[in-house]
Amino acid sequence: MSHYTWHNVTESSRITTKHSFSTLSFVAEIFIFLYVGMDALDIEKWKFVNDSPGTSIAASSVLLGLILVGRAAFVFPLSFLSNLAKKSPNEKISFRQQVIIWWAGLMRGLFQWHLNIIR
């Protein structure tokens, strides 16, 4: 409906709506990262890794691998689908750009996770 209603509201209403939804999106994202970060730091869930350093390294390696594969499973297929819809070669997402999107998302998530640990 936004296609039809966007042109029928005043400029101030457009700006207010845009900022309201941006703020809601930002708050929802913060809530998700905080929840995931706090859940990951739950001591009860990590008691099994106290047995030996090898178990801790193995659990961390498996989690890191799953994160890498999970992020790639979303970025590359969705970029492929996006490229199918684009007509112009200039608009298509190159493989290099896909790798940058994949890596930037990993670093952003790691940064958010690190901030949750500090707090």
Side-chain angles (χ1 to χ4, degrees):
M1 293 299 296
S2 68
H3 176 70
Y4 301 106
T5 58
W6 189 254
H7 301 292
N8 294 323
V9 296
T10 63
E11 184 66 28
S12 63
S13 295
R14 289 182 199 170
I15 293 169
T16 303
T17 303
K18 182 179 178 182
H19 289 298
S20 298
F21 280 106
S22 294
T23 302
L24 285 172
S25 171
F26 182 72
V27 169
E29 186 176 326
I30 286 175
F31 175 75
I32 289 170
F33 276 111
L34 284 173
Y35 181 76
V36 169
M38 291 172 68
D39 192 51
L41 295 175
D42 187 10
I43 301 301
E44 294 297 320
K45 293 180 181 177
W46 290 96
K47 285 198 176 196
F48 73 95
V49 298
N50 287 338
D51 297 337
S52 70
T55 307
S56 178
I57 291 171
S60 298
S61 299
V62 168
L63 286 175
L64 181 62
L66 289 173
I67 290 169
L68 292 170
V69 169
R71 179 76 182 165
F74 280 96
V75 170
F76 295 112
L78 291 176
S79 297
F80 175 75
L81 291 175
S82 174
N83 285 342
L84 289 177
K86 309 266 178 163
K87 302 292 182 203
S88 171
N90 293 337
E91 295 178 352
K92 294 188 177 190
I93 304 170
S94 69
F95 182 72
R96 183 171 184 240
Q97 290 170 328
Q98 292 175 27
V99 170
I100 291 170
I101 292 169
W102 174 71
W103 185 254
L106 291 172
M107 290 301 103
R108 182 172 177 267
L110 182 63
F111 179 71
Q112 286 284 6
W113 179 71
H114 181 67
L115 286 178
N116 290 337
I117 290 174
I118 292 173
R119 292 180 191 160

